[in-house]
Amino acid sequence: MEEKILEYLMKKKNPFIETIMKDLDLKEYEVYGLIAYLKQKGYLFDIIDGKVVKIKPIKENDIYKIPNIKEHLKLLLISDTHLASKFDRVDILRYLYQEAEDRNVDYILNSGDIVDGLSGRPQQIFELKETSYTGQRDYAIDKYPKSDIPTYMISGNHDLWWVRQCGADIVKDICSKRDDLHYLGSDCEDLMIGKLRIRLYHGAKGQSYAKSYRLQKYLDSIPSEELPHILQTGHIHQSFYMKQGKTHCFQTSCLQDLTPFERSQGYNNDKSCWWVEVDIDDKGNPVNIRQELETFGNKLVRKR
Ligand SMILES: [Fe+2]
């Protein structure tokens, strides 16, 4: 019943206690008891004016901590959406959020370059649908799919160009305007879901001579006490998986068509996402991690 009410509360927006009683066939004291249990486990719910409301998570000791009572977690890993670029693929992004809802995904993680930003490269302006900070911010607030599934994201080098241009982290600004999007920080941040440690990393510099090189070098630089179970990296617009020690590394590609700049640099571009499932043992430890890569071509993608 704990998992059932948790899934219900994640999907409903501020339901009344009476509505929960009716929908889940529960007595009033059972609803109060289950919510007290979830709060005791660390879930951020509260009862205000007869409604159950979700509270935005906060950072503790520099790590976002999300409680977990589930034996099985489903994640969707995406990256480099480059919204407001003329080459963005909002169609794929919409499809993925609908598919994530159909698959009962628990969390969606996005490892940066949410918007295309504004570089110092003169030709980039011709590749943009929106050229101003407010234009790109409002485009992302409007076009980024709205969902009951919480999304956790970091800002990447393209987002951070706005810090250089006008001193603001655009991803933090976007997330502050949306209840379903949570800003973790810029470039590299850790997230704990129960005992599952996840690191989101974006980075800078171009593509390396071998896909695995950048991941291996980065992994070697992480102190052993900080090694995550899942390392999700963005930036190079290519997908790749490897496991080193306990760490499952997911190089997440992009959701943007090849740009004239990438073409001129001889860069590859692959549009894809990782669907990840994690089994949790009775002590809360992640014991098994499985993944599926879904790739996309140049055709428009529609689900419903
Ligand atoms: Fe990117």
Side-chain angles (χ1 to χ4, degrees):
M1 198 60 214
E2 292 87 352
E3 280 202 24
K4 200 174 166 190
I5 194 167
L6 178 64
E7 278 188 11
Y8 175 89
L9 291 174
M10 295 304 276
K11 283 182 183 160
K12 296 275 176 181
K13 196 173 181 192
N14 305 341
F16 280 102
I17 297 285
E18 292 80 22
T19 315
I20 304 171
M21 287 161 60
K22 206 168 132 202
D23 289 349
L24 299 181
D25 195 21
L26 290 169
K27 304 262 187 303
E28 191 176 6
Y29 73 89
E30 291 175 317
V31 175
Y32 277 94
L34 285 163
I35 289 163
Y37 169 82
L38 292 175
K39 281 173 75 176
Q40 194 189 355
K41 289 285 173 190
Y43 284 94
L44 294 165
F45 294 114
D46 215 342
I47 300 171
I48 299 170
D49 296 334
K51 289 179 189 170
V52 180
V53 295
K54 271 180 249 172
I55 302 164
K56 270 216 168 199
I58 47 165
K59 240 178 182 176
E60 254 180 65
N61 300 327
D62 228 25
I63 299 179
Y64 268 97
K65 289 184 179 152
I66 305 170
N68 178 53
I69 55 164
K70 298 185 87 173
E71 292 172 0
H72 193 70
L73 279 172
K74 291 183 183 178
L75 309 172
L76 167 62
L77 313 186
I78 55 173
S79 193
D80 294 77
T81 44
H82 288 265
L83 293 174
S85 156
K86 285 180 183 169
F87 304 90
D88 69 12
R89 291 294 302 271
V90 178
D91 59 317
I92 303 176
L93 197 56
R94 280 193 194 121
Y95 156 82
L96 285 173
Y97 271 74
Q98 288 173 358
E99 181 67 15
E101 284 176 4
D102 290 350
R103 291 185 186 217
N104 284 322
V105 161
D106 297 290
Y107 301 101
I108 300 172
L109 309 178
N110 189 330
S111 47
D113 281 0
I114 308 302
V115 298
D116 206 44
L118 188 67
S119 72
R121 181 169 59 85
Q123 296 89 336
Q124 194 230 359
I125 208 154
F126 301 109
E127 298 172 6
L128 294 173
K129 290 176 185 167
E130 297 287 347
T131 55
S132 68
Y133 175 87
T134 49
Q136 291 197 8
R137 181 198 61 190
D138 294 347
Y139 180 92
I141 292 167
D142 180 44
K143 302 286 183 203
Y144 200 99
K146 293 172 182 70
S147 176
D148 295 322
I149 305 169
T151 298
Y152 289 84
M153 51 175 62
I154 57 170
S155 40
N157 62 315
H158 278 244
D159 306 305
L160 294 169
W161 284 337
W162 284 118
V163 175
R164 201 176 60 199
Q165 300 279 358
C166 61
D169 187 329
I170 195 164
V171 180
K172 189 176 185 182
D173 199 357
I174 293 162
C175 291
S176 73
K177 308 278 190 303
R178 290 274 303 265
D179 287 342
D180 52 342
L181 306 179
H182 305 289
Y183 171 76
L184 291 174
S186 64
D187 193 49
C188 175
E189 293 292 334
D190 288 349
L191 170 72
M192 296 281 291
I193 304 176
K195 290 184 182 174
L196 176 73
R197 186 172 183 137
I198 301 171
R199 173 164 290 186
L200 271 68
Y201 171 64
H202 191 85
K205 296 183 187 165
Q207 292 177 350
S208 53
Y209 74 94
K211 278 188 189 181
S212 63
Y213 182 76
R214 180 175 179 263
L215 261 182
Q216 281 174 300
K217 289 297 285 179
Y218 179 69
L219 204 53
D220 290 343
S221 74
I222 302 177
S224 57
E225 67 276 13
E226 284 182 25
L227 277 171
H229 300 99
I230 290 176
L231 169 64
Q232 180 188 343
T233 56
H235 184 58
I236 65 164
H237 295 202
Q238 289 183 310
S239 55
F240 176 78
Y241 167 83
M242 71 172 201
K243 183 172 179 288
Q244 186 167 299
K246 72 167 186 182
T247 307
H248 295 255
C249 306
F250 297 94
Q251 173 66 56
T252 319
S253 64
C254 65
L255 299 175
Q256 180 193 32
D257 285 331
L258 195 69
T259 66
F261 174 70
E262 286 175 312
R263 214 178 280 276
S264 74
Q265 296 293 307
Y267 291 160
N268 293 325
N269 172 332
D270 107 51
K271 294 178 282 291
S272 65
C273 72
W274 290 103
W275 300 99
V276 175
E277 299 199 16
V278 186
D279 297 327
I280 311 283
D281 72 9
D282 53 8
K283 291 191 174 72
N285 298 304
V287 283
N288 196 15
I289 296 178
R290 296 178 298 282
Q291 73 279 350
E292 175 197 337
L293 179 72
E294 184 171 2
T295 58
F296 304 94
N298 294 330
K299 268 188 174 174
L300 267 184
V301 180
R302 277 201 191 96
K303 192 166 166 70
R304 56 179 180 252

